[in-house]
C-alpha cells in the first residue's frame, strides 16, 4: 500500500498496518510524537489498534522538551 | 491595512497561552504589543533566577507567580489588553474549561509529555480550535533548522523538531525567542483571516 507520510509518498509491503507497526518499520526513535491520520488525531494509547490504510494521509510531528 | 486597523481587528479576539515560561511569556508580549484583545494565561510556577536567561521577566520579579508578573509586564506595555490568569496545573479536564472561548491556543509548555497531553486534549475535546505548538529550540545557532509547518487547519508547529533541552544543550533566549515570536506570528496570521 501507498500512504502520504508528512506529504511524502511511502510504500509498505502489507495491505494495512497499525500505527505501532508503521513506527517500527520506519524505525522512528523519538519518544514523543503526535500522529494524525486523515486529519484525525490518534492518541498514543491507540497506536496498536489504529489502522493505516492505502492512500491515507499520515501527519506526524515530533515533540521535544524545551520552552 | 495600517496598524490602527490591524490593532482594532485583533482587539476582537481571545488567545489562550498554556504555560508562561520561555515560549509563553515571549509569545504573550508579542501578541500584547500587536493588540490582541484578550489573553488567557495559565501557569502554576514561580519565577526563578535561572528563568531570566530567556523568559520575559525581570530580576526584581524572582519569587513571584509567573502569571501575575506576566500580567503586570503586559499591562506596562499595553494597558488595553484584557489579561485573564489561571494559577493551575493544566490537565485533560481543566484545559477545555480554562481555554473555552479562545479563538486560538498557543502550546507553550517545557516538558514534551505536557505538550503531548495538551495537543491530544485540544484536538479531541476542543474540536476546530487552532493550536500553535512549539517543539525543538534548545541550544544556539542553526537558524536555518527552525521552521514552520501547517499540519492542517487546526494544528501548526514552530521549531526544529529535534533539539531537545538538556544540561549540555540548554534553552537560551535567541532560539526560544525566535520560536515564541514565530508562534505569535502564526496566531496573527490565523486571526487576520477571521471575521
Amino acid at each position: 500500500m501507498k500512504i502520504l507520510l508528512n506529504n511524502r509518498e511511502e510504500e509498505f509491503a502489507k495491505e494495512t498496518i497499525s500505527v505501532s507497526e508503521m513506527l517500527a518499520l520506519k524505525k522512528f526513535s523519538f519518544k514523543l510524537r503526535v500522529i494524525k491520520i486523515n486529519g484525525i488525531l490518534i492518541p498514543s494509547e491507540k497506536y496498536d489498534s489504529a489502522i493505516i490504510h492505502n492512500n491515507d494521509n499520515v501527519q506526524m510531528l515530533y515533540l521535544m522538551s524545551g520552552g | 491595512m495600517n496598524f490602527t486597523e490591524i490593532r482594532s481587528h485583533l482587539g476582537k479576539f481571545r488567545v489562550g497561552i498554556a504555560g508562561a515560561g520561555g515560549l509563553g511569556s515571549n509569545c504573550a508580549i508579542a501578541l500584547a504589543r500587536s493588540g490582541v484583545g484578550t489573553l488567557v494565561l495559565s501557569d502554576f510556577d514561580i519565577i526563578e533566577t535561572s528563568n531570566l536567561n530567556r523568559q520575559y521577566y525581570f530580576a526584581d520579579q524572582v519569587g513571584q507567580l509567573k502569571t501575575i508578573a506576566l500580567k503586570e509586564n503586559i499591562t506596562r506595555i499595553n494597558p488595553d489588553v484584557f489579561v485573564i490568569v489561571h494559577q493551575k496545573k493544566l490537565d485533560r479536564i481543566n484545559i477545555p474549561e480554562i481555554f473555552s472561548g479562545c479563538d486560538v491556543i498557543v502550546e507553550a509548555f517545557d516538558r514534551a509529555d505536557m505538550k503531548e497531553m495538551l495537543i491530544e486534549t485540544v484536538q479531541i475535546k476542543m474540536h476546530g480550535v487552532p493550536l500553535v505548538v512549539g517543539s525543538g529550540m534548545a541550544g544556539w545557532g542553526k537558524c536555518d533548522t527552525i521552521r514552520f509547518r501547517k499540519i492542517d487547519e487546526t494544528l501548526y508547529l514552530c521549531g526544529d523538531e529535534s533539539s531537545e533541552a538538556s544540561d549540555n544543550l540548554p534553552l537560551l533566549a535567541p532560539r526560544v525567542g525566535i520560536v515564541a515570536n514565530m508562534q505569535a506570528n502564526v496566531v496573527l496570521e490565523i486571526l487576520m483571516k477571521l471575521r
Side-chain angles (χ1 to χ4, degrees):
Chain A
M1 68 166 189
K2 272 187 195 166
I3 63 166
L4 266 186
L5 178 59
N6 282 358
N7 305 319
R8 272 197 185 148
E9 218 170 71
E10 293 272 352
E11 224 171 322
F12 296 93
K14 298 168 121 182
E15 295 282 295
T16 63
I17 49 173
S18 70
V19 170
S20 297
E21 286 174 306
M22 191 266 297
L23 293 174
L25 285 168
K26 293 296 297 173
K27 298 186 170 68
F28 288 127
S29 58
F30 288 117
K31 286 188 299 251
L32 285 172
R33 60 180 73 73
V34 168
I35 292 177
K36 294 184 93 168
I37 302 176
N38 301 328
I40 308 289
L41 185 130
I42 310 298
S44 47
E45 70 268 15
K46 292 195 176 150
Y47 285 180
D48 287 337
S49 59
I51 303 299
I52 302 169
H53 299 88
N54 191 37
N55 290 328
D56 276 354
N57 180 11
V58 180
Q59 296 271 13
M60 181 157 48
L61 55 93
Y62 304 103
L63 300 177
M64 301 291 140
S65 280
Chain B
M1 206 180 224
N2 65 36
F3 180 58
T4 307
E5 292 163 339
I6 292 166
R7 188 173 49 195
S8 109
H9 179 76
L10 294 175
K12 298 184 286 192
F13 300 106
R14 172 187 293 229
V15 176
I17 301 181
L23 291 176
S25 62
N26 286 292
C27 184
I29 293 292
L31 294 174
R33 288 189 198 277
S34 306
V36 170
T38 305
L39 294 174
V40 181
L41 314 172
S42 183
D43 199 293
F44 61 94
D45 233 347
I46 279 169
I47 301 163
E48 295 175 46
T49 307
S50 63
N51 300 149
L52 298 180
N53 76 335
R54 66 187 187 282
Q55 304 188 14
Y56 210 109
Y57 301 107
F58 299 94
D60 60 10
Q61 292 178 318
V62 169
Q64 288 184 29
L65 277 164
K66 288 183 179 177
T67 46
I68 303 295
L70 186 53
K71 181 175 182 173
E72 181 192 320
N73 296 343
I74 288 168
T75 305
R76 285 178 65 187
I77 291 166
N78 184 353
D80 293 335
V81 181
F82 186 54
V83 184
I84 297 166
V85 297
H86 294 272
Q87 282 89 37
K88 284 214 178 110
K89 188 169 165 65
L90 291 169
D91 58 35
R92 288 173 198 271
I93 307 296
N94 64 22
I95 285 169
E97 297 163 14
I98 285 176
F99 296 120
S100 109
C102 287
D103 299 289
V104 186
I105 297 172
V106 175
E107 180 285 311
F109 286 138
D110 188 27
R111 276 169 38 194
D113 61 324
M114 291 292 286
K115 291 177 188 285
E116 181 191 41
M117 184 278 292
L118 181 85
I119 297 166
E120 288 189 1
T121 305
V122 172
Q123 291 265 293
I124 292 168
K125 294 190 176 169
M126 302 183 74
H127 200 67
V129 180
L131 177 64
V132 185
V133 175
S135 175
M137 71 215 70
W140 60 93
K142 299 201 279 184
C143 282
D144 56 339
T145 64
I146 296 175
R147 59 181 180 169
F148 160 73
R149 285 210 289 141
K150 177 177 177 176
I151 308 297
D152 55 36
E153 293 298 323
T154 61
L155 190 58
Y156 303 80
L157 183 122
C158 303
D160 68 14
E161 288 179 85
S162 69
S163 301
E164 183 121 42
S166 67
D167 286 347
N168 292 313
L169 196 68
L171 294 160
L172 296 165
R175 288 187 110 233
V176 173
I178 289 167
V179 173
N181 282 284
M182 200 181 250
Q183 287 180 290
N185 197 29
V186 175
V187 171
L188 292 199
E189 191 167 30
I190 294 167
L191 295 181
M192 291 307 293
K193 284 182 195 151
L194 296 180
R195 283 291 108 212

